[in-house]
Amino acid sequence: MKRLGILLSGRGSNFLAIARAIREQHLLGAKIAVVLSNVEDAPGLASARELGLPAFAIPSAGRKRADHDAEMLARLHQHKVDLICLAGYMRIITPEFVRAFPNRILNIHPSLLPAFPGLDAQRQALEYGAKVSGCTVHFVDQEVDHGIIILQKTVEVKEDDTVETLSARILEHEHVAYSEALARVLSGEYIVQGRRYVHRDAARPSRATAR
Ligand code: GAR
């Protein structure tokens, strides 16, 4: 059984989609061990408590990133977390944090990376005039919105889209994408090959890096 640690800063709809997938037995072998937020009144934290999950706020405002991350890490270790899901966690994590969970931190981002990293990805896509956008689930590495891509889903950008309508359409796909990506990781059937995350049957043996 893999123990998931969920980190969120806001609404928590991606967290709830993961919780639902586990409840409906679409993610066998996973259990949510703890939900942490850097924002005390994050609605996602309240939802986690309603579901009876261990949920804690570790406020980040005004704190040094290293101190805050050390406390987050201690709490994750305390709950024996194997895999971390950033689910709308709007804070950059330290290299020490990333090193503590190598290729074991997942993030979801509302664009087709490497296009439109950073904040307001949906607005960036609209303003750029992109005809297609979507979402990306990726491993977290030392650079923002940069790690190895686990899975992406595309969404059409319509001519009358606003940030709100495009965000809502992407979000529906996010809710499916996160669980699918988790299923891939939990399956143990995928390996990292350079920047590619591929099914072991499709891997090139000479360059494969076992995970
Ligand atoms: C989601 O759209 C997620 O992709 C985005 O924040 C939203 C969180 O929604 N994350 C980022 O932009 C990270 N750079 P949620 O709290 O309802 O899951």
Side-chain angles (χ1 to χ4, degrees):
M1 182 64 70
K2 294 284 185 201
R3 297 173 61 82
L4 307 183
I6 308 271
L7 272 54
L8 54 81
S9 301
R11 181 176 54 188
S13 72
N14 275 292
F15 146 61
L16 286 171
I18 294 168
R20 192 178 325 117
I22 291 175
R23 198 167 55 244
E24 293 175 356
Q25 307 208 322
H26 298 310
L27 275 178
L28 295 176
K31 164 191 170 81
I32 296 177
V34 67
V35 179
L36 300 180
S37 179
N38 63 319
V39 177
E40 200 140 22
D41 58 357
L45 211 49
S47 306
R49 292 189 180 119
E50 278 167 27
L51 290 176
L53 294 167
F56 305 94
I58 302 180
S60 57
R63 291 190 66 190
K64 278 199 191 136
R65 202 176 294 283
D67 293 347
H68 180 256
D69 272 11
E71 197 178 332
M72 296 284 284
L73 271 178
R75 193 57 72 105
L76 291 164
H77 288 313
Q78 187 188 335
H79 288 269
K80 300 190 168 36
V81 163
D82 300 300
L83 206 57
I84 295 172
C85 297
L86 306 186
Y89 186 64
M90 304 308 270
R91 189 167 163 88
I92 291 169
I93 61 177
T94 54
E96 289 70 32
F97 196 143
V98 177
R99 272 198 294 274
F101 286 88
N103 279 356
R104 288 194 290 140
I105 308 174
L106 279 65
N107 181 42
I108 189 154
H109 183 77
S111 76
L112 296 175
L113 291 172
F116 315 125
L119 291 177
D120 284 330
Q122 303 94 331
R123 180 183 301 280
Q124 290 187 56
L126 267 185
E127 289 180 354
Y128 195 85
K131 302 295 187 197
V132 175
S133 191
C135 60
T136 304
V137 185
H138 65 94
F139 288 115
V140 172
D141 68 6
Q142 311 282 353
E143 290 175 52
V144 175
D145 297 332
H146 171 270
I148 289 165
I149 293 171
I150 301 166
L151 182 147
Q152 294 183 303
K153 291 206 179 281
T154 55
V155 168
E156 184 192 348
V157 181
K158 300 191 173 161
E159 291 192 349
D160 59 356
D161 261 335
T162 61
V163 174
E164 289 70 31
T165 59
L166 178 60
S167 300
R169 194 164 337 105
I170 292 174
L171 192 65
E172 278 178 37
H173 287 73
E174 292 186 42
H175 293 163
V176 179
Y178 219 147
S179 296
E180 281 186 20
L182 266 170
R184 281 190 189 180
V185 174
L186 293 167
S187 74
E189 293 176 0
Y190 283 74
I191 61 171
V192 173
Q193 199 166 53
R195 268 205 61 91
R196 302 194 319 140
Y197 193 60
V198 288
H199 193 274
R200 60 182 175 214
D201 294 345
R204 297 169 193 140
S206 58
R207 296 177 55 207
T209 318
R211 281 181 31 77

PDB file of all heavy atoms in Angstrom, residues 8-16 44 86-90 107-111 117-122 135-136 144-145 167 170-171 174-175, ligand 1:
ATOM      1  N   LEU A   8      -1.895  21.103  -0.621  1.00  0.00           N
ATOM      2  CA  LEU A   8      -2.772  22.016  -1.360  1.00  0.00           C
ATOM      3  C   LEU A   8      -2.777  23.394  -0.705  1.00  0.00           C
ATOM      4  O   LEU A   8      -2.383  23.543   0.463  1.00  0.00           O
ATOM      5  CB  LEU A   8      -4.187  21.435  -1.447  1.00  0.00           C
ATOM      6  CG  LEU A   8      -4.892  21.015  -0.157  1.00  0.00           C
ATOM      7  CD1 LEU A   8      -5.519  22.205   0.553  1.00  0.00           C
ATOM      8  CD2 LEU A   8      -5.977  19.982  -0.448  1.00  0.00           C
ATOM      9  N   SER A   9      -3.224  24.372  -1.475  1.00  0.00           N
ATOM     10  CA  SER A   9      -3.280  25.750  -0.952  1.00  0.00           C
ATOM     11  C   SER A   9      -4.669  26.346  -1.041  1.00  0.00           C
ATOM     12  O   SER A   9      -4.901  27.431  -0.508  1.00  0.00           O
ATOM     13  CB  SER A   9      -2.332  26.663  -1.741  1.00  0.00           C
ATOM     14  OG  SER A   9      -1.008  26.217  -1.667  1.00  0.00           O
ATOM     15  N   GLY A  10      -5.598  25.680  -1.741  1.00  0.00           N
ATOM     16  CA  GLY A  10      -6.887  26.340  -1.985  1.00  0.00           C
ATOM     17  C   GLY A  10      -8.056  25.407  -1.990  1.00  0.00           C
ATOM     18  O   GLY A  10      -8.234  24.579  -1.098  1.00  0.00           O
ATOM     19  N   ARG A  11      -8.821  25.506  -3.075  1.00  0.00           N
ATOM     20  CA  ARG A  11     -10.091  24.802  -3.243  1.00  0.00           C
ATOM     21  C   ARG A  11      -9.993  23.291  -3.025  1.00  0.00           C
ATOM     22  O   ARG A  11     -10.851  22.686  -2.398  1.00  0.00           O
ATOM     23  CB  ARG A  11     -10.536  25.120  -4.673  1.00  0.00           C
ATOM     24  CG  ARG A  11     -11.814  24.570  -5.149  1.00  0.00           C
ATOM     25  CD  ARG A  11     -12.063  25.102  -6.543  1.00  0.00           C
ATOM     26  NE  ARG A  11     -10.923  24.833  -7.441  1.00  0.00           N
ATOM     27  CZ  ARG A  11     -10.800  25.313  -8.664  1.00  0.00           C
ATOM     28  NH1 ARG A  11     -11.736  26.106  -9.161  1.00  0.00           N
ATOM     29  NH2 ARG A  11      -9.741  25.022  -9.401  1.00  0.00           N
ATOM     30  N   GLY A  12      -8.997  22.660  -3.601  1.00  0.00           N
ATOM     31  CA  GLY A  12      -8.791  21.227  -3.361  1.00  0.00           C
ATOM     32  C   GLY A  12      -9.621  20.308  -4.226  1.00  0.00           C
ATOM     33  O   GLY A  12      -9.834  19.142  -3.875  1.00  0.00           O
ATOM     34  N   SER A  13     -10.056  20.783  -5.407  1.00  0.00           N
ATOM     35  CA  SER A  13     -10.886  19.889  -6.220  1.00  0.00           C
ATOM     36  C   SER A  13     -10.062  18.732  -6.794  1.00  0.00           C
ATOM     37  O   SER A  13     -10.586  17.630  -6.984  1.00  0.00           O
ATOM     38  CB  SER A  13     -11.601  20.660  -7.335  1.00  0.00           C
ATOM     39  OG  SER A  13     -10.706  21.065  -8.340  1.00  0.00           O
ATOM     40  N   ASN A  14      -8.788  18.939  -7.080  1.00  0.00           N
ATOM     41  CA  ASN A  14      -7.958  17.825  -7.548  1.00  0.00           C
ATOM     42  C   ASN A  14      -7.757  16.799  -6.442  1.00  0.00           C
ATOM     43  O   ASN A  14      -7.792  15.593  -6.686  1.00  0.00           O
ATOM     44  CB  ASN A  14      -6.614  18.336  -8.082  1.00  0.00           C
ATOM     45  CG  ASN A  14      -6.716  18.770  -9.529  1.00  0.00           C
ATOM     46  OD1 ASN A  14      -6.905  17.950 -10.412  1.00  0.00           O
ATOM     47  ND2 ASN A  14      -6.638  20.080  -9.755  1.00  0.00           N
ATOM     48  N   PHE A  15      -7.564  17.280  -5.226  1.00  0.00           N
ATOM     49  CA  PHE A  15      -7.466  16.362  -4.082  1.00  0.00           C
ATOM     50  C   PHE A  15      -8.751  15.534  -3.972  1.00  0.00           C
ATOM     51  O   PHE A  15      -8.701  14.304  -3.803  1.00  0.00           O
ATOM     52  CB  PHE A  15      -7.204  17.162  -2.797  1.00  0.00           C
ATOM     53  CG  PHE A  15      -7.830  16.583  -1.567  1.00  0.00           C
ATOM     54  CD1 PHE A  15      -7.480  15.310  -1.128  1.00  0.00           C
ATOM     55  CD2 PHE A  15      -8.788  17.296  -0.860  1.00  0.00           C
ATOM     56  CE1 PHE A  15      -8.088  14.753  -0.008  1.00  0.00           C
ATOM     57  CE2 PHE A  15      -9.394  16.752   0.247  1.00  0.00           C
ATOM     58  CZ  PHE A  15      -9.044  15.469   0.672  1.00  0.00           C
ATOM     59  N   LEU A  16      -9.907  16.198  -4.075  1.00  0.00           N
ATOM     60  CA  LEU A  16     -11.181  15.472  -3.936  1.00  0.00           C
ATOM     61  C   LEU A  16     -11.356  14.444  -5.049  1.00  0.00           C
ATOM     62  O   LEU A  16     -11.911  13.368  -4.826  1.00  0.00           O
ATOM     63  CB  LEU A  16     -12.354  16.458  -3.903  1.00  0.00           C
ATOM     64  CG  LEU A  16     -12.474  17.223  -2.577  1.00  0.00           C
ATOM     65  CD1 LEU A  16     -13.513  18.336  -2.678  1.00  0.00           C
ATOM     66  CD2 LEU A  16     -12.818  16.284  -1.429  1.00  0.00           C
ATOM     67  N   GLY A  44      -9.836  23.210   0.807  1.00  0.00           N
ATOM     68  CA  GLY A  44      -9.438  21.808   0.626  1.00  0.00           C
ATOM     69  C   GLY A  44      -9.114  21.122   1.943  1.00  0.00           C
ATOM     70  O   GLY A  44      -9.335  19.916   2.103  1.00  0.00           O
ATOM     71  N   LEU A  86       1.180  17.253  -5.268  1.00  0.00           N
ATOM     72  CA  LEU A  86       0.900  18.678  -5.163  1.00  0.00           C
ATOM     73  C   LEU A  86      -0.400  18.902  -5.927  1.00  0.00           C
ATOM     74  O   LEU A  86      -0.492  18.587  -7.115  1.00  0.00           O
ATOM     75  CB  LEU A  86       2.036  19.505  -5.771  1.00  0.00           C
ATOM     76  CG  LEU A  86       3.458  19.226  -5.251  1.00  0.00           C
ATOM     77  CD1 LEU A  86       4.440  20.234  -5.861  1.00  0.00           C
ATOM     78  CD2 LEU A  86       3.521  19.274  -3.738  1.00  0.00           C
ATOM     79  N   ALA A  87      -1.395  19.409  -5.231  1.00  0.00           N
ATOM     80  CA  ALA A  87      -2.720  19.577  -5.838  1.00  0.00           C
ATOM     81  C   ALA A  87      -3.156  21.019  -5.614  1.00  0.00           C
ATOM     82  O   ALA A  87      -3.855  21.338  -4.657  1.00  0.00           O
ATOM     83  CB  ALA A  87      -3.703  18.585  -5.209  1.00  0.00           C
ATOM     84  N   GLY A  88      -2.664  21.890  -6.495  1.00  0.00           N
ATOM     85  CA  GLY A  88      -2.917  23.315  -6.284  1.00  0.00           C
ATOM     86  C   GLY A  88      -2.121  23.831  -5.098  1.00  0.00           C
ATOM     87  O   GLY A  88      -2.597  24.661  -4.331  1.00  0.00           O
ATOM     88  N   TYR A  89      -0.901  23.323  -4.953  1.00  0.00           N
ATOM     89  CA  TYR A  89      -0.001  23.810  -3.892  1.00  0.00           C
ATOM     90  C   TYR A  89       0.804  24.951  -4.487  1.00  0.00           C
ATOM     91  O   TYR A  89       1.691  24.735  -5.310  1.00  0.00           O
ATOM     92  CB  TYR A  89       0.909  22.686  -3.411  1.00  0.00           C
ATOM     93  CG  TYR A  89       1.769  23.058  -2.218  1.00  0.00           C
ATOM     94  CD1 TYR A  89       1.184  23.375  -0.997  1.00  0.00           C
ATOM     95  CD2 TYR A  89       3.163  23.079  -2.301  1.00  0.00           C
ATOM     96  CE1 TYR A  89       1.953  23.707   0.109  1.00  0.00           C
ATOM     97  CE2 TYR A  89       3.949  23.403  -1.203  1.00  0.00           C
ATOM     98  CZ  TYR A  89       3.333  23.713  -0.004  1.00  0.00           C
ATOM     99  OH  TYR A  89       4.103  24.039   1.097  1.00  0.00           O
ATOM    100  N   MET A  90       0.439  26.183  -4.104  1.00  0.00           N
ATOM    101  CA  MET A  90       0.958  27.352  -4.814  1.00  0.00           C
ATOM    102  C   MET A  90       2.194  27.914  -4.115  1.00  0.00           C
ATOM    103  O   MET A  90       2.268  29.101  -3.786  1.00  0.00           O
ATOM    104  CB  MET A  90      -0.142  28.416  -4.937  1.00  0.00           C
ATOM    105  CG  MET A  90      -1.406  27.897  -5.605  1.00  0.00           C
ATOM    106  SD  MET A  90      -1.124  27.078  -7.193  1.00  0.00           S
ATOM    107  CE  MET A  90      -1.272  28.484  -8.271  1.00  0.00           C
ATOM    108  N   ASN A 107       3.037  16.787  -9.601  1.00  0.00           N
ATOM    109  CA  ASN A 107       2.348  18.077  -9.638  1.00  0.00           C
ATOM    110  C   ASN A 107       1.403  18.080 -10.831  1.00  0.00           C
ATOM    111  O   ASN A 107       1.652  17.410 -11.831  1.00  0.00           O
ATOM    112  CB  ASN A 107       3.357  19.220  -9.788  1.00  0.00           C
ATOM    113  CG  ASN A 107       2.682  20.578  -9.804  1.00  0.00           C
ATOM    114  OD1 ASN A 107       1.754  20.839  -9.016  1.00  0.00           O
ATOM    115  ND2 ASN A 107       3.105  21.456 -10.694  1.00  0.00           N
ATOM    116  N   ILE A 108       0.328  18.846 -10.707  1.00  0.00           N
ATOM    117  CA  ILE A 108      -0.537  19.067 -11.871  1.00  0.00           C
ATOM    118  C   ILE A 108      -0.504  20.540 -12.218  1.00  0.00           C
ATOM    119  O   ILE A 108      -0.517  21.409 -11.324  1.00  0.00           O
ATOM    120  CB  ILE A 108      -1.978  18.564 -11.635  1.00  0.00           C
ATOM    121  CG1 ILE A 108      -2.766  18.619 -12.950  1.00  0.00           C
ATOM    122  CG2 ILE A 108      -2.695  19.337 -10.519  1.00  0.00           C
ATOM    123  CD1 ILE A 108      -3.901  17.625 -13.029  1.00  0.00           C
ATOM    124  N   HIS A 109      -0.415  20.808 -13.524  1.00  0.00           N
ATOM    125  CA  HIS A 109      -0.311  22.192 -13.984  1.00  0.00           C
ATOM    126  C   HIS A 109      -1.313  22.400 -15.118  1.00  0.00           C
ATOM    127  O   HIS A 109      -1.417  21.552 -16.016  1.00  0.00           O
ATOM    128  CB  HIS A 109       1.115  22.475 -14.473  1.00  0.00           C
ATOM    129  CG  HIS A 109       1.307  23.898 -14.888  1.00  0.00           C
ATOM    130  ND1 HIS A 109       1.461  24.929 -13.972  1.00  0.00           N
ATOM    131  CD2 HIS A 109       1.331  24.468 -16.113  1.00  0.00           C
ATOM    132  CE1 HIS A 109       1.580  26.069 -14.635  1.00  0.00           C
ATOM    133  NE2 HIS A 109       1.503  25.822 -15.926  1.00  0.00           N
ATOM    134  N   PRO A 110      -2.048  23.537 -15.112  1.00  0.00           N
ATOM    135  CA  PRO A 110      -3.120  23.719 -16.096  1.00  0.00           C
ATOM    136  C   PRO A 110      -2.675  24.272 -17.445  1.00  0.00           C
ATOM    137  O   PRO A 110      -3.225  25.249 -17.945  1.00  0.00           O
ATOM    138  CB  PRO A 110      -4.070  24.681 -15.375  1.00  0.00           C
ATOM    139  CG  PRO A 110      -3.184  25.484 -14.494  1.00  0.00           C
ATOM    140  CD  PRO A 110      -2.045  24.586 -14.091  1.00  0.00           C
ATOM    141  N   SER A 111      -1.664  23.639 -18.034  1.00  0.00           N
ATOM    142  CA  SER A 111      -1.276  23.940 -19.420  1.00  0.00           C
ATOM    143  C   SER A 111      -0.512  22.734 -19.944  1.00  0.00           C
ATOM    144  O   SER A 111      -0.180  21.816 -19.184  1.00  0.00           O
ATOM    145  CB  SER A 111      -0.384  25.186 -19.516  1.00  0.00           C
ATOM    146  OG  SER A 111       0.936  24.885 -19.093  1.00  0.00           O
ATOM    147  N   PRO A 117       4.397  27.923 -18.191  1.00  0.00           N
ATOM    148  CA  PRO A 117       4.671  27.562 -16.794  1.00  0.00           C
ATOM    149  C   PRO A 117       4.316  28.725 -15.870  1.00  0.00           C
ATOM    150  O   PRO A 117       4.015  29.825 -16.348  1.00  0.00           O
ATOM    151  CB  PRO A 117       6.185  27.317 -16.793  1.00  0.00           C
ATOM    152  CG  PRO A 117       6.701  28.184 -17.900  1.00  0.00           C
ATOM    153  CD  PRO A 117       5.611  28.211 -18.951  1.00  0.00           C
ATOM    154  N   GLY A 118       4.368  28.490 -14.596  1.00  0.00           N
ATOM    155  CA  GLY A 118       4.166  29.571 -13.623  1.00  0.00           C
ATOM    156  C   GLY A 118       2.708  29.868 -13.366  1.00  0.00           C
ATOM    157  O   GLY A 118       1.833  29.047 -13.613  1.00  0.00           O
ATOM    158  N   LEU A 119       2.473  31.075 -12.901  1.00  0.00           N
ATOM    159  CA  LEU A 119       1.121  31.455 -12.473  1.00  0.00           C
ATOM    160  C   LEU A 119       0.231  31.761 -13.676  1.00  0.00           C
ATOM    161  O   LEU A 119       0.709  32.096 -14.750  1.00  0.00           O
ATOM    162  CB  LEU A 119       1.194  32.698 -11.573  1.00  0.00           C
ATOM    163  CG  LEU A 119       1.836  32.491 -10.204  1.00  0.00           C
ATOM    164  CD1 LEU A 119       1.912  33.821  -9.451  1.00  0.00           C
ATOM    165  CD2 LEU A 119       1.079  31.444  -9.381  1.00  0.00           C
ATOM    166  N   ASP A 120      -1.088  31.653 -13.455  1.00  0.00           N
ATOM    167  CA  ASP A 120      -2.095  32.062 -14.447  1.00  0.00           C
ATOM    168  C   ASP A 120      -1.877  31.418 -15.807  1.00  0.00           C
ATOM    169  O   ASP A 120      -1.938  32.080 -16.854  1.00  0.00           O
ATOM    170  CB  ASP A 120      -2.083  33.589 -14.610  1.00  0.00           C
ATOM    171  CG  ASP A 120      -2.760  34.275 -13.435  1.00  0.00           C
ATOM    172  OD1 ASP A 120      -3.674  33.666 -12.849  1.00  0.00           O
ATOM    173  OD2 ASP A 120      -2.360  35.404 -13.114  1.00  0.00           O
ATOM    174  N   ALA A 121      -1.648  30.105 -15.802  1.00  0.00           N
ATOM    175  CA  ALA A 121      -1.345  29.395 -17.053  1.00  0.00           C
ATOM    176  C   ALA A 121      -2.489  29.515 -18.053  1.00  0.00           C
ATOM    177  O   ALA A 121      -2.259  29.646 -19.258  1.00  0.00           O
ATOM    178  CB  ALA A 121      -1.058  27.927 -16.740  1.00  0.00           C
ATOM    179  N   GLN A 122      -3.729  29.476 -17.563  1.00  0.00           N
ATOM    180  CA  GLN A 122      -4.869  29.531 -18.488  1.00  0.00           C
ATOM    181  C   GLN A 122      -4.944  30.918 -19.138  1.00  0.00           C
ATOM    182  O   GLN A 122      -5.219  31.037 -20.337  1.00  0.00           O
ATOM    183  CB  GLN A 122      -6.177  29.220 -17.749  1.00  0.00           C
ATOM    184  CG  GLN A 122      -6.189  27.869 -17.027  1.00  0.00           C
ATOM    185  CD  GLN A 122      -5.776  27.967 -15.570  1.00  0.00           C
ATOM    186  OE1 GLN A 122      -5.000  28.834 -15.185  1.00  0.00           O
ATOM    187  NE2 GLN A 122      -6.307  27.079 -14.750  1.00  0.00           N
ATOM    188  N   CYS A 135      -3.691  20.104 -19.675  1.00  0.00           N
ATOM    189  CA  CYS A 135      -3.060  19.986 -18.363  1.00  0.00           C
ATOM    190  C   CYS A 135      -1.943  18.944 -18.432  1.00  0.00           C
ATOM    191  O   CYS A 135      -1.918  18.090 -19.315  1.00  0.00           O
ATOM    192  CB  CYS A 135      -4.073  19.615 -17.291  1.00  0.00           C
ATOM    193  SG  CYS A 135      -4.910  18.045 -17.562  1.00  0.00           S
ATOM    194  N   THR A 136      -1.030  19.073 -17.492  1.00  0.00           N
ATOM    195  CA  THR A 136       0.147  18.205 -17.429  1.00  0.00           C
ATOM    196  C   THR A 136       0.304  17.691 -16.012  1.00  0.00           C
ATOM    197  O   THR A 136       0.266  18.476 -15.060  1.00  0.00           O
ATOM    198  CB  THR A 136       1.430  19.008 -17.794  1.00  0.00           C
ATOM    199  OG1 THR A 136       1.267  19.594 -19.084  1.00  0.00           O
ATOM    200  CG2 THR A 136       2.661  18.117 -17.769  1.00  0.00           C
ATOM    201  N   VAL A 144      10.995  24.960 -11.700  1.00  0.00           N
ATOM    202  CA  VAL A 144       9.544  25.112 -11.622  1.00  0.00           C
ATOM    203  C   VAL A 144       8.870  24.578 -12.897  1.00  0.00           C
ATOM    204  O   VAL A 144       9.268  24.922 -14.016  1.00  0.00           O
ATOM    205  CB  VAL A 144       9.183  26.607 -11.416  1.00  0.00           C
ATOM    206  CG1 VAL A 144       7.677  26.800 -11.457  1.00  0.00           C
ATOM    207  CG2 VAL A 144       9.744  27.093 -10.094  1.00  0.00           C
ATOM    208  N   ASP A 145       7.855  23.741 -12.711  1.00  0.00           N
ATOM    209  CA  ASP A 145       7.039  23.217 -13.816  1.00  0.00           C
ATOM    210  C   ASP A 145       7.894  22.601 -14.929  1.00  0.00           C
ATOM    211  O   ASP A 145       7.659  22.816 -16.109  1.00  0.00           O
ATOM    212  CB  ASP A 145       6.133  24.331 -14.398  1.00  0.00           C
ATOM    213  CG  ASP A 145       5.142  24.840 -13.369  1.00  0.00           C
ATOM    214  OD1 ASP A 145       4.774  24.084 -12.463  1.00  0.00           O
ATOM    215  OD2 ASP A 145       4.737  26.013 -13.467  1.00  0.00           O
ATOM    216  N   SER A 167     -10.543  27.683 -17.888  1.00  0.00           N
ATOM    217  CA  SER A 167     -10.062  27.029 -16.655  1.00  0.00           C
ATOM    218  C   SER A 167     -10.995  25.900 -16.252  1.00  0.00           C
ATOM    219  O   SER A 167     -10.542  24.823 -15.843  1.00  0.00           O
ATOM    220  CB  SER A 167      -9.974  28.039 -15.505  1.00  0.00           C
ATOM    221  OG  SER A 167      -9.091  29.079 -15.836  1.00  0.00           O
ATOM    222  N   ILE A 170     -10.496  22.917 -18.575  1.00  0.00           N
ATOM    223  CA  ILE A 170      -9.226  22.229 -18.268  1.00  0.00           C
ATOM    224  C   ILE A 170      -9.365  21.454 -16.953  1.00  0.00           C
ATOM    225  O   ILE A 170      -8.901  20.312 -16.834  1.00  0.00           O
ATOM    226  CB  ILE A 170      -8.054  23.234 -18.203  1.00  0.00           C
ATOM    227  CG1 ILE A 170      -7.774  23.815 -19.600  1.00  0.00           C
ATOM    228  CG2 ILE A 170      -6.796  22.567 -17.652  1.00  0.00           C
ATOM    229  CD1 ILE A 170      -6.727  24.922 -19.628  1.00  0.00           C
ATOM    230  N   LEU A 171     -10.042  22.067 -15.977  1.00  0.00           N
ATOM    231  CA  LEU A 171     -10.156  21.433 -14.654  1.00  0.00           C
ATOM    232  C   LEU A 171     -10.845  20.067 -14.730  1.00  0.00           C
ATOM    233  O   LEU A 171     -10.429  19.118 -14.055  1.00  0.00           O
ATOM    234  CB  LEU A 171     -10.913  22.355 -13.692  1.00  0.00           C
ATOM    235  CG  LEU A 171     -10.861  21.968 -12.211  1.00  0.00           C
ATOM    236  CD1 LEU A 171      -9.431  22.056 -11.658  1.00  0.00           C
ATOM    237  CD2 LEU A 171     -11.785  22.868 -11.383  1.00  0.00           C
ATOM    238  N   GLU A 174      -8.267  17.806 -15.652  1.00  0.00           N
ATOM    239  CA  GLU A 174      -7.302  17.626 -14.564  1.00  0.00           C
ATOM    240  C   GLU A 174      -7.762  16.515 -13.634  1.00  0.00           C
ATOM    241  O   GLU A 174      -6.976  15.673 -13.184  1.00  0.00           O
ATOM    242  CB  GLU A 174      -7.148  18.925 -13.758  1.00  0.00           C
ATOM    243  CG  GLU A 174      -6.474  20.056 -14.509  1.00  0.00           C
ATOM    244  CD  GLU A 174      -6.215  21.256 -13.603  1.00  0.00           C
ATOM    245  OE1 GLU A 174      -5.798  21.077 -12.452  1.00  0.00           O
ATOM    246  OE2 GLU A 174      -6.452  22.402 -14.059  1.00  0.00           O
ATOM    247  N   HIS A 175      -9.073  16.536 -13.346  1.00  0.00           N
ATOM    248  CA  HIS A 175      -9.599  15.583 -12.359  1.00  0.00           C
ATOM    249  C   HIS A 175      -9.433  14.145 -12.822  1.00  0.00           C
ATOM    250  O   HIS A 175      -9.263  13.242 -12.011  1.00  0.00           O
ATOM    251  CB  HIS A 175     -11.067  15.902 -12.051  1.00  0.00           C
ATOM    252  CG  HIS A 175     -11.229  17.208 -11.350  1.00  0.00           C
ATOM    253  ND1 HIS A 175     -12.428  17.870 -11.272  1.00  0.00           N
ATOM    254  CD2 HIS A 175     -10.326  17.996 -10.715  1.00  0.00           C
ATOM    255  CE1 HIS A 175     -12.264  18.996 -10.604  1.00  0.00           C
ATOM    256  NE2 HIS A 175     -10.998  19.093 -10.259  1.00  0.00           N
TER     257      HIS A 175
HETATM  258  C1  GAR B   1      -5.604  23.643 -10.639  1.00  0.00           C
HETATM  259  O1  GAR B   1      -6.091  24.184 -11.835  1.00  0.00           O
HETATM  260  C2  GAR B   1      -4.141  23.300 -10.768  1.00  0.00           C
HETATM  261  O2  GAR B   1      -3.792  22.813 -12.031  1.00  0.00           O
HETATM  262  C3  GAR B   1      -3.515  24.639 -10.516  1.00  0.00           C
HETATM  263  O3  GAR B   1      -4.262  25.189  -9.463  1.00  0.00           O
HETATM  264  C4  GAR B   1      -5.585  24.682  -9.523  1.00  0.00           C
HETATM  265  C5  GAR B   1      -5.933  24.093  -8.188  1.00  0.00           C
HETATM  266  O4  GAR B   1      -7.284  23.746  -8.143  1.00  0.00           O
HETATM  267  N1  GAR B   1      -2.127  24.517 -10.162  1.00  0.00           N
HETATM  268  C6  GAR B   1      -1.193  25.351 -10.586  1.00  0.00           C
HETATM  269  O5  GAR B   1      -1.431  26.322 -11.271  1.00  0.00           O
HETATM  270  C7  GAR B   1       0.201  25.005 -10.136  1.00  0.00           C
HETATM  271  N2  GAR B   1       1.163  25.807 -10.829  1.00  0.00           N
HETATM  272  P1  GAR B   1      -7.833  22.797  -6.991  1.00  0.00           P
HETATM  273  O6  GAR B   1      -7.374  23.427  -5.666  1.00  0.00           O
HETATM  274  O7  GAR B   1      -9.319  22.838  -7.136  1.00  0.00           O
HETATM  275  O8  GAR B   1      -7.257  21.432  -7.200  1.00  0.00           O
END
